[in-house]
Amino acid sequence: LVNYFQNVKSYNAGMLTALSNRIGDVALLLAIAWMLNYGSWNYIFYLDMMKNNIEMMIIGGLVMLAAMTKSAQIPFSSWLPAAMAAPTPVSALVHSSTLVTAGVYLLIRFNDVLMNWWMAQFLLLVSGLTMFMAGLGANFEFDLKKIIALSTLSQLGLMMSILSMGFYKLAFFHLLTHALFKALLFMCAGSIIHNMKNSQDIRMMGSLSMSMPLTCSCFNVANLALCGMPFLAGFYSKDLILEMVMLSYVNVFSFFLFFFSTG
């Protein structure tokens, strides 16, 4: 679906997406094949038994590599903005709530293996840097869908970093709320792009609140929910995550990354 519009940009984006995700697929297949040694794939029942097992730690590392490619963390974060060459309904489904949150959900399921280990601290650093980089890079974009994709990347970094601190329920809650308002943002962006005669450049858009009032109202509501406006959906998850960061033991660099990226 990234190759849907037949031009050179779409071909390059599809190739980048395929080759980046292949690394995570190989790691996931290795983890699946290695877990066959334990007799079944019902890992949820024997995660506690294998916390100190060296093979399960290697499997956890492979799963973490797979989740970092699927959820587009550094160094695999380049394919998510490039995949915005796809049609907008595809983006609203795939790049807000379905594909990119599969890695976060996998790590939520495997969170017992990652805790009490240095991989969680590494994941905290990498996802915090991803969150910071995506939020900073979105300020210099002109493509409407690419801005929303970089915002998705920032929220994925937030989910992964709070997950690596051990609050997996907060990561899941933020995954659910973010899926809803980010899909709404993508649908509003698709409506705007369609009415702009398929131009995605935000420098060409102006006075949209006069010509498209309903779309801009929904866009504003979803944008405020993304910003963490009080009593909207994003406020409850993001504010709870930031409160747990302030209440837990984290160093000043990670603290700066969390709060500067959220701002």
Side-chain angles (χ1 to χ4, degrees):
L1 278 168
V2 180
N3 286 326
Y4 181 77
F5 299 114
Q6 307 274 312
N7 54 30
V8 178
K9 185 189 170 191
S10 295
Y11 292 151
N12 289 334
M15 202 67 193
L16 177 64
T17 305
L19 292 180
S20 299
N21 279 299
R22 200 56 59 218
I23 305 169
D25 295 342
V26 165
L28 198 57
L29 285 172
L30 277 173
I32 287 172
W34 205 333
M35 208 185 279
L36 198 60
N37 290 335
Y38 291 111
S40 83
W41 286 302
N42 289 324
Y43 56 90
I44 203 79
F45 297 121
Y46 46 77
L47 280 179
D48 289 334
M49 181 191 78
M50 294 185 300
K51 263 185 186 173
N52 301 317
N53 197 352
I54 182 66
E55 285 120 6
M56 197 60 192
M57 285 166 75
I58 296 174
I59 288 175
L62 287 172
V63 166
M64 204 188 88
L65 178 64
M68 279 172 61
T69 54
K70 281 296 175 195
S71 292
Q73 302 298 301
I74 292 175
F76 310 110
S77 58
S78 60
W79 67 266
L80 184 60
M84 284 298 117
T88 316
V90 179
S91 304
L93 279 172
V94 170
H95 301 121
S96 70
S97 50
T98 316
L99 174 79
V100 291
T101 54
V104 181
Y105 186 72
L106 199 62
L107 284 187
I108 287 171
R109 285 298 186 202
F110 273 91
N111 69 322
D112 285 338
V113 180
L114 293 177
M115 288 304 115
N116 309 319
W117 196 31
W118 60 269
M119 291 299 268
Q121 296 168 2
F122 172 72
L123 185 64
L124 175 63
L125 173 69
V126 164
S127 52
L129 287 175
T130 307
M131 176 167 57
F132 180 68
M133 178 201 74
L136 195 62
N139 288 311
F140 304 105
E141 279 291 338
F142 292 121
D143 192 340
L144 179 63
K145 287 176 68 178
K146 204 169 279 191
I147 293 170
I148 306 180
L150 285 169
S151 151
T152 303
L153 193 52
S154 177
Q155 302 300 307
L156 283 172
L158 182 66
M159 290 176 218
M160 292 283 247
S161 49
I162 196 65
L163 176 62
S164 60
M165 286 169 64
F167 302 104
Y168 63 97
K169 292 178 181 174
L170 291 184
F172 187 58
F173 180 40
H174 189 58
L175 191 150
L176 294 178
T177 54
H178 167 261
L180 292 172
F181 57 73
K182 189 52 66 72
L184 178 58
L185 272 176
F186 267 120
M187 293 308 285
C188 294
S191 172
I192 290 172
I193 288 168
H194 176 66
N195 283 312
M196 285 280 148
K197 300 253 187 299
N198 302 326
S199 164
Q200 297 187 13
D201 200 340
I202 61 170
R203 293 170 294 186
M204 307 296 175
M205 301 172 189
S207 309
L208 284 181
S209 58
M210 303 292 291
S211 54
M212 307 172 67
L214 181 64
T215 304
C216 286
S217 305
C218 295
F219 198 87
N220 273 327
V221 169
N223 201 1
L224 286 174
L226 174 63
C227 293
M229 173 86 180
F231 310 114
L232 288 179
F235 166 73
Y236 292 106
S237 55
K238 280 183 84 166
D239 199 71
L240 197 56
I241 284 174
L242 291 178
E243 187 177 0
M244 284 300 144
V245 170
M246 284 193 284
L247 286 175
S248 61
Y249 177 68
V250 67
N251 59 3
V252 69
F253 182 64
S254 298
F255 193 86
F256 166 76
L257 281 182
F258 264 105
F259 281 85
F260 198 78
S261 308
T262 303

